[in-house]
């Protein structure tokens, strides 16, 4: 029997004493069973002197009992209220066949008003909310009868709803209307929808959303091309997806087609720039399909979010959420779109089963992103991208080795009791991609492409663990081709194996040689570089140049470079971040007003994090104070995920 409290309107966040005691007894029991079997983690143990890996029993980041009873479809009734910054919702869950008396959902910062069972006739039922965990939120335990088909959760979001970014009009391009977007990955969907928030479960969804009539609502589903006068929108997502891919955005936007099955939603102010920047979108979809087969989600659109969006892009199905910094004016950041499109296969079609397997989403995607770039712009450009990634990877490995979690350089992570966001490092992304590049190099591209195409086909609309992937790899690629390859070393051991493939780029070497000459005191703009302009080289070439410049250079030299190339005023955040970091380390304070403006305007986590980190690490007088003061001015414009990351850096 459930330790439930009868609820009417209000939520009771009351830790339940009996429940706690029961939990302790259960925990003691579990610990004794586990220690009697083995002292190693559940999904890795020694048998007959050999390392044996089994699939994890469950996703430690979800409270849900999805293996006993699971949502197969959820219908959302949502009323988006911009006066109160609250979503009033009903989540109508259709459940799988079951024989249990309790269904457990994940919630975080939500107010649960009432829960009913049934479709046409609804009957109120009891529920209880367990203890709140700072990372995972709380289990919502609903009393049901075995066989219950429909569970309807009436709720509203709160100030603490971490997924939602409510923007005032000033933070939009048009400055007239407010704006709202959600960010579900990794475990934030539970903060705006009560749901079994684990990638191990896939669901279809539909929604009826009401918004102010001046605004349009869009979801990771089939989308309207125009506003309607009532502000009512209906959505269907007919393919089964994990909960972290449910997404909503509301704002004053218009649609512009870029091809027969793709287009871009943006504020009207950005339309022309978007049309120029993303002109290749349809070609890109074709290029991706040529590599791994049909795009399975029909339409592929982009939506350009405001500057606070904490990522470069987010692969919400059918509707990639994109950062406005991608509109660099020279199509130089299109690889981010290639990346999000690639997730339509790696991640959205075949999904990591738990956040410990995150590299299966991101490593495959970075690999695929690079293949798309190669198909569209040639091998030289693809290699330039990969070399810069490799530099990033080496730096990250060093940083992680010195952190509290040196084991995080393994591809398979152990994030139990930690925030799954901790796994969003270059390890999953770049070490993961280099594993695949190394394998490709061993077997040859034709075989490797065949292998990956079959992998996507045979696991389509499924979730997969690292262990199952390794089994599949052995069976379908390594054994048939008689290849000896130490996958364990790549996946379960720290650092970068020495068999990692090396990629070179003459164009980047040239830029580095130029930087070396500058470091040794030669004039900067001389010889072949006499009249060089920013537009003469691509983003990654400038990054290679800046990264090689010495922090010992004088302020005069740095300022000369800046006034010739206008790097502080640069629109491209990748160049700009590297440039600011060099200047921080060189103690050049002239760039501070530019840096401050940048940190206030942009909320893209990776870029701003590296700047705040450099300010904290420089050890130079006043840098930390400048970082703290700038964060104070900027933080209200950041989404929760960036805000909490930067708080971590500053503390
Ligand atoms: N899915 C990620 C973003 C993400 C990861 C959000 C983990 C929350 C938790 C997205 O596809 C991504 O990787 N974005 C990158 C793009 C880059 C690698 C090209 C980004 O935002 O920088
Ligand atoms: Zn990604």
């Amino acid at each position: 029997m459930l330790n439930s409290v009868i609820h009417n309107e209000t939520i009771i966040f009351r830790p339940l004493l009996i429940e706690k005691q029961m939990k302790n007894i259960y925990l003691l029991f579990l610990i004794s069973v586990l220690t009697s079997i083995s002292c190693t983690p559940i999904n890795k143990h020694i048998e007959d002197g050999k390392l044996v890996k089994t699939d994890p029993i469950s996703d430690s980041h979800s409270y849900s009992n999805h293996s006993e009873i699971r949502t197969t479809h959820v219908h959302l009734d949502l009323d988006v209220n911009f006066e109160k910054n609250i979503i009033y919702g009903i989540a109508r869950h259709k459940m799988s066949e079951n024989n249990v008396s309790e269904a457990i959902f994940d919630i975080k910062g939500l107010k649960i008003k009432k829960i009913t069972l049934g479709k046409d006739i609804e009957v109120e039922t009891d529920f209880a909310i367990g203890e709140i965990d700072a990372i995972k939120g709380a289990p919502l335990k609903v009393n049901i009868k075995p066989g219950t088909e429909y569970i309807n959760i009436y709720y509203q979001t709160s100030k603490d709803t971490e997924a939602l970014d409510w923007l005032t009009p000033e933070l939009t391009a048009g400055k007239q209307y407010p704006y709202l977007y959600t960010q579900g990955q990794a475990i934030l969907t539970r903060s705006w929808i009560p749901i079994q928030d684990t990638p191990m479960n896939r669901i279809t969804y539909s929604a009826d959303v009401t918004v102010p009539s001046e605004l349009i609502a869009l979801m990771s589903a089939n989308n309207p091309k125009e506003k309607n006068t009532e502000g009512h929108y209906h959505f269907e997502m007919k393919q089964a997806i994990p909960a972290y891919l449910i997404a909503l955005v509301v704002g004053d936007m218009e649609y512009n087609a870029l091809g027969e099955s793709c287009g871009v939603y943006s504020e009207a102010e950005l339309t022309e720039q978007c049309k120029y920047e993303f002109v290749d979108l349809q070609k890109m979809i074709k290029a991706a399909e040529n590599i791994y087969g049909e795009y399975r989600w029909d339409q592929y659109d982009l939506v350009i979010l405001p500057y606070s969006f904490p990522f470069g892009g987010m692969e919400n199905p059918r509707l990639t959420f994109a950062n406005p910094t991608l509109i660099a004016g020279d199509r130089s950041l299109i690889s981010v779109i290639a990346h999000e499109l690639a997730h339509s296969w790696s991640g959205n079609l075949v999904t990591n089963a738990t956040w410990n397997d995150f590299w299966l989403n991101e490593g495959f995607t970075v690999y695929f992103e690079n293949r798309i770039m190669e198909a569209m712009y040639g091998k030289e450009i693809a290699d330039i991208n990969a070399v810069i990634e490799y530099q990033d990877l080496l730096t990250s490995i060093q940083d992680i080795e010195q952190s509290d979690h040196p084991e995080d350089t393994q591809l398979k992570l152990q994030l139990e009791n930690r925030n799954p966001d901790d796994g969003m490092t270059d390890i999953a992304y770049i070490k993961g991609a280099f594993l695949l590049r190394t394998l490709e190099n061993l077997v040859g591209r034709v075989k490797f492409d065949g292998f990956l195409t079959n992998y996507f086909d045979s696991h389509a609309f499924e979730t997969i663990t690292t262990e199952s992937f390794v089994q599949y790899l052995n069976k379908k690629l390594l054994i048939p081709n008689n290849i000896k390859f130490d996958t364990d070393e790549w996946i379960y051991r720290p650092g970068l194996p020495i068999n990692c493939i090396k990629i070179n780029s003459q164009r980047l070497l040239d830029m580095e040689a130029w930087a070396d000459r500058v470091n040794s005191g030669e004039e900067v703009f001389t010889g072949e570089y006499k009249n060089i302009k920013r537009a003469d080289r691509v983003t990654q070439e400038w990054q290679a140049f800046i990264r090689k410049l010495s922090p010992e250079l004088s302020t005069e030299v740095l300022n000369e470079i800046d006034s010739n190339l206008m790097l502080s005023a640069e629109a491209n955040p990748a160049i700009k971040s590297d440039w600011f970091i060099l200047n921080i380390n060189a103690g050049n304070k002239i760039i501070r007003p530019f840096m401050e403006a940048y940190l206030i305007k942009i909320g893209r986590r990776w870029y701003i994090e590296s700047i705040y980190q450099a300010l904290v690490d420089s050890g130079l007088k006043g840098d930390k104070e400048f970082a703290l003061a700038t964060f104070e001015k900027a933080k209200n414009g950041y989404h929760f995920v960036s805000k909490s990351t930067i708080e971590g850096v500053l503390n």
Side-chain angles (χ1 to χ4, degrees):
M1 177 51 203
L2 215 67
N3 302 301
S4 60
V5 188
I6 309 285
H7 296 259
N8 250 329
E9 278 301 298
T10 48
I11 180 187
I12 304 188
F13 274 148
R14 188 192 296 163
L16 300 169
L17 195 66
I18 312 171
E19 187 176 273
K20 219 172 161 183
Q21 286 166 353
M22 291 290 291
K23 213 168 158 191
N24 289 343
I25 294 168
Y26 175 70
L27 263 180
L28 275 175
F29 171 68
L30 197 73
I31 289 167
S32 68
V33 169
L34 284 179
T35 43
S36 71
I37 301 172
S38 143
C39 290
T40 44
I42 301 170
N43 57 334
K44 216 162 80 184
H45 62 272
I46 308 285
E47 234 176 65
D48 301 331
K50 280 203 195 116
L51 189 67
V52 175
K53 288 146 223 144
T54 50
D55 282 0
I57 300 160
S58 66
D59 170 9
S60 73
H61 291 107
S62 171
Y63 290 107
S64 71
N65 56 341
H66 61 96
S67 59
E68 299 174 332
I69 175 172
R70 63 179 202 92
T71 302
T72 58
H73 179 90
V74 68
H75 176 78
L76 303 168
D77 280 314
L78 303 175
D79 186 0
V80 181
N81 185 318
F82 278 97
E83 267 136 46
K84 299 196 172 137
N85 288 357
I86 286 176
I87 296 180
Y88 297 90
I90 312 169
R92 301 181 180 279
H93 291 265
K94 166 122 178 40
M95 310 308 294
S96 60
E97 269 181 42
N98 64 83
N99 192 26
V100 290
S101 54
E102 182 182 76
I104 308 177
F105 299 89
D106 293 292
I107 56 171
K108 193 174 188 194
L110 288 180
K111 291 189 179 161
I112 305 300
K113 297 199 273 190
K114 68 170 181 183
I115 302 182
T116 67
L117 306 180
K119 192 174 183 200
D120 300 320
I121 302 166
E122 295 182 28
V123 181
E124 219 170 312
T125 190
D126 296 348
F127 64 93
I129 293 167
E131 219 178 317
I132 304 172
D133 176 270
I135 296 165
K136 292 191 287 187
L140 170 63
K141 304 176 172 192
V142 183
N143 209 356
I144 62 169
K145 294 197 181 60
T148 293
E149 262 192 290
Y150 291 94
I151 303 176
N152 314 298
I153 308 175
Y154 292 68
Y155 69 100
Q156 65 184 62
T157 62
S158 72
K159 286 263 167 301
D160 304 321
T161 295
E162 295 169 353
L164 302 183
D165 196 1
W166 298 92
L167 303 180
T168 56
E170 305 81 70
L171 294 171
T172 66
K175 314 224 179 293
Q176 274 209 27
Y177 297 103
Y179 197 99
L180 166 70
Y181 67 86
T182 65
Q183 169 57 40
Q185 199 180 12
I187 55 168
L188 300 182
T189 298
R190 65 190 66 179
S191 79
W192 74 286
I193 306 171
I195 201 156
Q196 295 179 316
D197 195 5
T198 168
M200 286 182 111
N201 188 33
R202 302 183 80 95
I203 59 174
T204 53
Y205 82 87
S206 52
D208 285 297
V209 182
T210 305
V211 302
S213 60
E214 316 81 64
L215 308 180
I216 192 170
L218 308 169
M219 292 192 82
S220 50
N222 67 319
N223 275 309
K225 296 225 156 63
E226 274 171 12
K227 285 181 196 161
N228 66 47
T229 45
E230 300 83 44
H232 293 314
Y233 296 91
H234 178 76
F235 302 91
E236 303 272 347
M237 169 41 87
K238 292 205 157 68
Q239 286 108 320
I241 57 169
Y244 75 86
L245 293 176
I246 304 178
L248 170 71
V249 48
V250 182
D252 176 24
M253 288 174 287
E254 59 177 35
Y255 181 69
N256 284 282
L258 295 167
E260 63 208 19
S261 65
C262 65
V264 55
Y265 292 90
S266 72
E267 292 187 70
E269 288 75 8
L270 301 177
T271 294
E272 288 314 311
Q273 286 164 274
C274 286
K275 281 190 191 162
Y276 177 84
E277 202 80 32
F278 306 120
V279 69
D280 283 342
L281 195 58
Q282 190 75 57
K283 266 195 243 159
M284 196 176 258
I285 300 168
K286 286 263 157 1
E289 288 187 311
N290 280 339
I291 306 174
Y292 296 132
E294 184 202 359
Y295 174 77
R296 314 248 197 149
W297 309 84
D298 307 322
Q299 185 73 17
Y300 182 72
D301 293 323
L302 311 175
V303 57
I304 309 303
L305 266 52
Y307 283 102
S308 68
F309 183 51
F311 302 106
M314 175 66 213
E315 67 270 27
N316 297 313
R318 298 181 65 120
L319 184 67
T320 281
F321 283 20
N323 196 292
T325 57
L326 301 192
I327 313 174
D330 60 359
R331 301 178 186 150
S332 61
L333 295 174
I334 198 76
S335 64
V336 179
I337 301 298
H339 178 98
E340 304 313 331
L341 172 65
H343 272 306
S344 307
W345 287 259
S346 40
N348 296 3
L349 195 59
V350 183
T351 307
N352 55 207
T354 76
W355 299 113
N356 293 335
D357 307 299
F358 184 54
W359 78 277
L360 292 177
N361 274 18
E362 297 298 343
F364 278 62
T365 299
V366 171
Y367 172 80
F368 191 6
E369 163 198 337
N370 196 261
R371 295 291 308 276
I372 297 172
M373 291 300 287
E374 180 181 325
M376 301 213 22
Y377 307 107
K379 185 158 164 46
E380 192 178 44
I381 287 292
D383 284 354
I384 282 179
N385 276 281
V387 171
I388 291 291
E389 284 167 10
Y390 187 78
Q391 293 179 357
D392 289 337
L393 176 60
L394 296 185
T395 313
S396 294
I397 289 178
Q398 272 186 359
D399 291 349
I400 295 172
E401 277 169 352
Q402 280 153 26
S403 74
D404 295 343
H405 289 284
E407 74 281 9
D408 285 357
T409 64
Q410 294 176 199
L411 283 175
K412 173 87 186 194
L413 297 169
Q414 273 160 6
L415 297 170
E416 290 74 21
N417 301 317
R418 291 172 62 193
N419 192 328
D421 263 15
D422 289 359
M424 195 193 175
T425 72
D426 287 332
I427 300 303
Y429 284 78
I430 306 176
K431 183 178 174 185
F434 270 93
L435 165 56
L436 300 184
R437 285 175 189 141
T438 304
L439 285 169
E440 181 207 301
N441 190 247
L442 278 175
V443 293
R445 181 165 279 189
V446 174
K447 278 189 184 154
F448 197 60
D449 278 356
F451 164 75
L452 282 185
T453 306
N454 288 334
Y455 167 70
F456 290 129
D457 275 345
S458 57
H459 295 82
F461 300 106
E462 288 176 9
T463 53
I464 184 161
T465 59
T466 300
E467 292 68 27
S468 317
F469 169 71
V470 172
Q471 262 177 19
Y472 186 82
L473 176 73
N474 282 325
K475 193 162 144 212
K476 300 284 180 179
L477 194 74
L478 300 182
I479 296 171
N481 291 297
N482 220 342
I483 286 173
K484 288 228 169 345
F485 187 83
D486 193 350
T487 40
D488 272 4
E489 186 189 8
W490 275 86
I491 295 175
Y492 298 103
R493 306 230 176 87
L496 192 63
I498 44 163
N499 68 352
C500 180
I501 185 179
K502 305 282 173 309
I503 296 173
N504 300 308
S505 156
Q506 189 54 47
R507 278 167 63 175
L508 295 188
L509 289 174
D510 290 347
M511 295 303 274
E512 289 172 358
W514 178 26
D516 277 337
R517 292 204 293 276
V518 174
N519 291 339
S520 67
E522 226 175 77
E523 222 180 289
V524 188
F525 298 100
T526 172
E528 60 177 308
Y529 298 107
K530 188 154 191 283
N531 294 312
I532 191 167
K533 296 276 163 304
R534 158 70 179 88
D536 297 337
R537 297 288 186 278
V538 300
T539 305
Q540 290 77 12
E541 289 174 289
W542 288 116
Q543 286 185 282
F545 175 66
I546 296 166
R547 287 174 180 194
K548 206 69 213 271
L549 289 175
S550 162
E552 306 294 319
L553 286 172
S554 71
T555 350
E556 287 70 37
V557 172
L558 291 172
N559 293 341
E560 185 198 353
I561 295 174
D562 209 1
S563 58
N564 272 269
L565 300 168
M566 308 295 279
L567 299 178
S568 291
E570 174 64 48
N572 184 314
I575 296 180
K576 204 158 173 158
S577 284
D578 280 350
W579 175 245
F580 286 152
I581 291 166
L582 170 69
N583 280 274
I584 292 168
N585 294 330
N588 183 16
K589 300 206 164 33
I590 290 181
I591 46 105
R592 273 199 183 170
F594 292 97
M595 196 155 71
E596 185 188 82
Y598 177 71
L599 292 172
I600 289 174
K601 182 170 176 185
I602 282 152
R604 204 172 152 184
R605 176 165 69 175
W606 269 351
Y607 287 124
I608 60 172
E609 180 187 3
S610 60
I611 295 175
Y612 281 109
Q613 190 70 57
L615 284 166
V616 170
D617 292 345
S618 82
L620 297 173
K621 201 165 153 255
D623 274 359
K624 174 107 193 255
E625 290 70 18
F626 172 73
L628 288 165
T630 307
F631 180 62
E632 273 313 303
K633 293 184 203 165
K635 68 181 184 193
N636 287 336
Y638 293 161
H639 182 280
F640 163 80
V641 302
S642 290
K643 200 163 36 182
S644 54
T645 299
I646 306 305
E647 270 162 1
V649 170
L650 295 176
N651 297 327

